[in-house]
Amino acid sequence: MTNANPVKFMDVTFRDGQQSLLATRMKTEDMIPVAEELDRVGFWAVEIWGGATFDSMSRFLGEDPWERPRVLKKYIKNTPFAMLLRGQNLVGYRHYADDVVRAFVEKSVEVGIDVFRVFDALNDLRNFETSVEVIKKNGRHFQGSICFSLTESKIGGPIFNLQYYLDKAREIEDMGADSICIKDMAGLISPYDAEMLIKALKETVRIPIHLHTHYTSGMAGMVYIKAIEAGVDILDCCMAPLALRSSHLAIEPVAVALQGTPRDPGFDLDRLVKIGQHVESILPKYANFINNSRYSVIDINVLKHQIPGGMISNLVSQLKDAKALHRLDEVYAELPRTRAELGMPPLVTPTSQIVGVQAVLNVLFGRYKIITNQVKDLCYGLYGRTPAPIDPEVQAKALKGYKRGQTPVTGRPGDYLEPELDVVKADCGAVAKTEEDLITCAIYPITGKEFLAKKYGLAAA
């Protein structure tokens, strides 16, 4: 049977796979030995950067993040490089001023990034605008993402219904996107919802549809089959040793399942096995980061509470520090209520942390007795427009005595941020020797400066 319409695949082993299972601790030196083989597979792209890699490399690995794409480009010469970009958040945990965003994206293009998967935690597409302007100016691939979330157990209800996703998709296409990604960070999408959504998207927009889902809930294999049948264009997969659990579906069985069908990507299984064997061989180095606390490779609880795995570990850590781990079930019960009051944001970085930390504080000290600065910023409008209105009483409490004022803003968040690079230059001039160093300092004022001091053998300024 001919390959009438082969599915394209993006390999995420070197970014989201190792971020999900190894706390993003994989070193570049362990990627190099299979990089050339990876290049020969025929992937649509390989995701090698973005997300937590930037923070982890500079903070824990002692590697300059800007060097990884440059180094891997020597071995992977034919397959495009992809990165995950959090819109106005870049690869950090707050919104950055437009001058920082422009400088970061320009430098990312320069070091070799070809495909930019851009998302915003609130799905407020105004937070795409500055980065997209630079991506398009440089002729790179802009993939606009919609963070997948649910109002109830399936697509529907007053907020995250089919129309919500179709409206966002149209908006993204109108922004000049080259493709659209449904970004299901918690593995929440079910097979028949995926089929319905992909079919509807294919009828609504003309650009390719890319599906990103995690294995967390155990549904990913069924989801991929239905998505493929519905006409999805691109899927994310991992090499088997870094697949499953809170990571992604393994590429090897998917490739075999599609053999001889019109959607067969035509991958060489022997080559995939060879790459997987190398990945398997280096994993003992990272054994301390692998979560072996449970036998089950799936987390059925995510089907009930919709909380991504990384968010759960943060909650557990917070409660342990407060010697209140026995109150975890109370936090699980509080989370949906806090999330609804804060405008129903999808639970992805940084909103997962914002909602999670506030829910813990609500349980430990009483509801909104202590309100974090991030919740105040969210209520003021500095993160953007929430999917649903924020509860007026909670908003009023959060903004009482707030430094910027009590009346929330409604414009594009970037418009309220003063340029930052000149201030960073004055602060980090002693350790920042290049433009890349300056951007690192702008995104991570403390840990970035510490990294550069070590890099150049200087005393931290």
Side-chain angles (χ1 to χ4, degrees):
M1 198 178 291
T2 57
N3 290 8
N5 181 24
V7 185
K8 296 180 176 74
F9 287 92
M10 182 163 85
D11 179 77
V12 300
T13 308
F14 288 166
R15 204 289 295 176
D16 208 358
Q18 62 119 350
Q19 180 172 321
S20 297
L21 299 188
L22 306 181
T24 331
R25 295 304 204 278
M26 187 185 282
K27 290 177 172 284
T28 306
E29 66 188 36
D30 287 323
M31 301 175 184
I32 291 171
V34 289
E36 289 179 353
E37 284 294 335
L38 201 67
D39 194 24
R40 295 187 187 109
V41 172
F43 288 118
W44 177 77
V46 286
E47 189 188 50
I48 56 111
W49 217 47
T53 57
F54 210 96
D55 185 14
S56 183
M57 289 177 74
S58 56
R59 195 193 308 201
F60 303 118
L61 303 184
E63 290 188 41
D64 191 328
W66 298 102
E67 286 303 309
R68 181 170 288 175
R70 285 195 182 106
V71 169
L72 291 177
K73 214 61 163 176
K74 295 174 186 173
Y75 304 92
I76 302 174
K77 297 176 179 176
N78 302 305
T79 311
F81 279 4
M83 79 164 290
L84 181 68
L85 186 75
R86 300 179 188 132
Q88 203 82 19
N89 268 229
L90 299 177
V91 288
Y93 306 101
R94 65 172 177 86
H95 279 349
Y96 298 93
D98 287 338
D99 63 337
V100 177
V101 174
R102 288 193 180 95
F104 180 89
V105 178
E106 285 281 4
K107 190 56 68 173
S108 301
V109 168
E110 189 183 306
V111 299
I113 301 303
D114 305 292
V115 177
F116 289 81
R117 174 178 285 172
V118 186
F119 81 94
D120 176 68
L122 298 179
N123 287 328
D124 186 341
L125 304 185
R126 297 174 302 173
N127 289 325
F128 286 19
E129 289 175 10
T130 304
S131 55
V132 168
E133 171 198 320
V134 184
I135 294 164
K136 298 297 285 183
K137 185 188 81 176
N138 283 281
R140 294 305 192 266
H141 185 109
F142 158 43
Q143 182 172 92
S145 298
I146 309 168
C147 292
F148 185 82
S149 197
L150 294 169
T151 322
E152 41 201 43
S153 62
K154 295 287 185 76
I155 288 178
I159 303 164
F160 299 111
N161 48 47
L162 184 59
Q163 198 59 49
Y164 174 89
Y165 294 106
L166 299 183
D167 289 345
K168 292 288 178 189
R170 282 193 198 93
E171 240 187 294
I172 288 171
E173 185 174 51
D174 289 345
M175 292 180 84
D178 299 288
S179 60
I180 290 171
C181 176
I182 298 298
K183 179 177 164 53
D184 176 25
M185 52 280 170
L188 295 176
I189 198 166
S190 64
Y192 295 104
D193 272 358
E195 180 182 40
M196 173 183 69
L197 180 55
I198 301 295
K199 278 183 176 173
L201 286 169
K202 296 295 287 180
E203 291 168 2
T204 303
V205 295
R206 297 176 301 282
I207 55 179
I209 305 299
H210 192 148
L211 178 62
H212 165 99
T213 188
H214 287 249
Y215 193 77
T216 316
S217 67
M219 292 194 290
M222 297 179 280
V223 164
Y224 274 19
I225 290 297
K226 297 309 288 184
I228 288 166
E229 289 173 355
V232 76
D233 298 284
I234 315 164
L235 293 167
D236 285 351
C237 273
C238 254
M239 292 297 157
L242 281 175
L244 309 189
R245 297 192 182 270
S246 59
S247 180
H248 297 257
L249 206 60
I251 181 60
E252 299 88 342
V254 180
V256 172
L258 293 175
Q259 281 177 357
T261 73
R263 308 229 58 195
D264 183 353
F267 291 163
D268 180 343
L269 184 61
D270 290 337
R271 177 168 282 131
L272 296 176
V273 168
K274 185 178 174 184
I275 297 167
Q277 285 171 341
H278 168 75
V279 176
E280 186 73 44
S281 74
I282 56 108
L283 287 182
K285 286 173 62 171
Y286 304 104
N288 290 343
F289 300 107
I290 297 170
N291 179 9
N292 291 319
S293 63
R294 53 190 299 164
Y295 287 108
S296 177
V297 297
I298 65 171
D299 178 10
I300 55 164
N301 290 313
V302 78
L303 299 173
K304 296 196 303 181
H305 55 51
Q306 297 186 31
I307 304 168
M311 185 177 174
I312 291 172
S313 54
N314 285 342
L315 296 176
V316 168
S317 175
Q318 264 187 281
L319 290 169
K320 272 184 182 171
D321 289 345
K323 295 185 171 48
L325 193 54
H326 60 286
R327 304 191 72 179
L328 183 60
D329 285 343
E330 290 177 65
V331 174
Y332 280 157
E334 172 63 24
L335 261 162
R337 189 176 171 193
T338 304
R339 183 186 177 207
E341 288 165 343
L342 294 179
M344 270 317 258
L347 297 177
V348 64
T349 305
T351 49
S352 52
Q353 289 89 330
I354 293 170
V355 173
V357 170
Q358 190 59 54
V360 169
L361 293 175
N362 286 354
V363 166
L364 295 182
F365 302 104
R367 305 200 79 247
Y368 300 105
K369 298 291 185 197
I370 298 174
I371 300 177
T372 68
N373 288 331
Q374 288 77 19
V375 167
K376 292 174 184 179
D377 289 347
L378 179 76
C379 289
Y380 188 67
L382 286 188
Y383 285 93
R385 191 184 297 117
T386 51
I390 293 173
D391 182 285
E393 282 184 36
V394 170
Q395 194 166 38
K397 268 187 193 174
L399 296 181
K400 187 178 179 184
Y402 179 69
K403 59 187 178 186
R404 290 175 181 262
Q406 280 67 61
T407 306
V409 293
T410 57
R412 184 183 75 93
D415 290 339
Y416 304 99
L417 300 173
E418 295 293 325
E420 296 181 55
L421 283 179
D422 286 345
V423 177
V424 175
K425 201 176 289 184
D427 183 46
C428 297
V431 292
K433 298 188 179 296
T434 67
E435 191 183 7
E436 292 163 10
D437 293 343
L438 191 66
I439 299 166
T440 299
C441 265
I443 298 173
Y444 309 116
I446 298 170
T447 60
K449 200 189 285 191
E450 287 170 355
F451 164 72
L452 293 170
K454 286 178 192 163
K455 176 182 170 182
Y456 294 116
L458 304 167

